[in-house]
Amino acid sequence: MDKIKLTVHSSQTPISLSRTAQIAGLGLLIMALTVPFAEFYIFPKLIGENPAETTKNIVTNKILFTSGIFLHFITLLCDIIVAWALYLFFKPVHKGLSLLAAWFRLTYTAMYLVALSNLMKTLNLINQPKLLENCQQLDTVVFFINSFKLEWSFGLIIFGSYLLLLGYLIYRSAYVPKVIGVLVLLAGLGYVVHTLGIFFSPETNLDLLFITFFGELIFMVWLLVRGSKI
């Protein structure tokens, strides 16, 4: 692969495309580990359909529940870093669109943070005395957990829109394979359609769309393996 000599200037310090690719790739790698661990390992062990059982699980495994929250928080921080790094990475392609894409990701991150605050409220509730004897508080715990899921899902519409912009920038670039741009575009479309389905047609099974999400992972691998050679 021929090396393309491009640098992006941030303030007075030039940052190479290879460096921004490494930063973005590493951030995406951390996110690929944190959220799945929290969502597919920690929370399923604690959260069930019965409010009393869910609350009891969280109370008796408070450290595990708190760990899940902090894994999401680490993901939030990585989202901000990745938004900045990919803005610089695609700035030579189209500065305006790259900035717009970054703002879409930051907007999603803000919505993600608001959603995550529901889990912090849950953590506050389980610290209240005699919680397990109060049915209203038990229902409130489940309410906050469900609010987190719903608000985070709503933010994924913005994230999917971000991926559509990112896929277009990838496709337009001269230093990333166009096929990756197509895959990221499909991932963005998958996020938007799947999330809208949750709100407008919850009875429809759209799990098959999860296959489109691999476009993000392929782009992450490319950034770490080939992006560092630009």
Side-chain angles (χ1 to χ4, degrees), residues 2 9 13 15 22 36 52 55 77 87 92 129 135 175 217 221 227 229:
D2 294 334
H9 292 268
T13 305
I15 303 177
Q22 290 171 345
T55 304
L77 296 178
Y87 160 68
C135 294
Y175 41 89
L217 296 177
V221 172
K229 298 178 181 179

Side-chain angles (χ1 to χ4, degrees), residues 135-156:
C135 294
Q136 184 177 359
Q137 283 188 318
L138 294 179
D139 291 335
T140 304
V141 167
V142 176
F143 171 79
F144 282 138
I145 293 174
N146 290 336
S147 295
F148 161 69
K149 295 177 181 178
L150 193 65
E151 292 172 17
W152 184 25
S153 295
F154 189 71
L156 290 176

